Amino acid sequence: QVQLVESGGGLVQAGGSLNLSCAASGSIGSINTMGWYRQAPGNQRELVARIFVSGTTNYADSVKGRFTISRDNAKKMVYLQMILLKPEDTAVYYCNADIRITFTFNFENYWGQGTQVTVSS
């Protein structure tokens, strides 16, 4: 009933930039926190950045000053602008959101399918 679809991943050289987008669709009543996570081979999935309905943001220390998360509540989208990319940013990036389906009361957590970001040195 609810889908999160990421786009914008790809291959970029170190020092370059990429913009990720994630669109939520389906029977959505409201969306609470939205965020981006990443998982590199052999590593656990980790929080990159998240943004609350209020607009307050949190970032992993490793991306502060380089990544910017934003959201468009009307379009049900979340974005991740990434600059000064490093090889260690290479990972599959996943969109995540707390969503309340229409005609229900509880928020549930949803994941996108992931988009690959590869940064070459």
Side-chain angles (χ1 to χ4, degrees):
Q1 282 185 308
V2 170
Q3 273 193 316
L4 296 175
V5 179
E6 302 99 335
S7 61
L11 173 64
V12 65
Q13 287 187 331
S17 61
L18 279 176
N19 294 320
L20 304 184
S21 300
C22 172
S25 63
S27 302
I28 296 173
S30 58
I31 303 176
N32 200 348
T33 305
M34 304 185 82
W36 291 93
Y37 289 72
R38 67 186 181 187
Q39 187 167 18
N43 290 356
Q44 290 188 333
R45 192 172 297 188
E46 63 176 3
L47 174 68
V48 175
R50 62 184 173 186
I51 182 167
F52 299 92
V53 174
S54 62
T56 300
T57 57
N58 292 148
Y59 293 93
D61 288 343
S62 59
V63 306
K64 284 181 181 177
R66 300 187 298 120
F67 291 10
T68 303
I69 189 171
S70 60
R71 63 190 286 172
D72 185 325
N73 293 325
K75 294 182 179 179
K76 300 182 179 64
M77 295 194 68
V78 63
Y79 308 96
L80 187 67
Q81 181 183 20
M82 306 183 291
I83 65 171
L84 301 175
L85 283 160
K86 304 175 181 179
E88 50 263 45
D89 294 319
T90 295
V92 177
Y93 283 69
Y94 296 90
C95 177
N96 179 269
D98 293 326
I99 297 174
R100 181 182 61 80
I101 296 176
T102 53
F103 309 118
T104 66
F105 297 99
N106 297 323
F107 285 87
E108 296 182 5
N109 192 253
Y110 292 87
W111 292 93
Q113 81 287 351
T115 184
Q116 177 70 46
V117 171
T118 302
V119 184
S120 63
S121 57

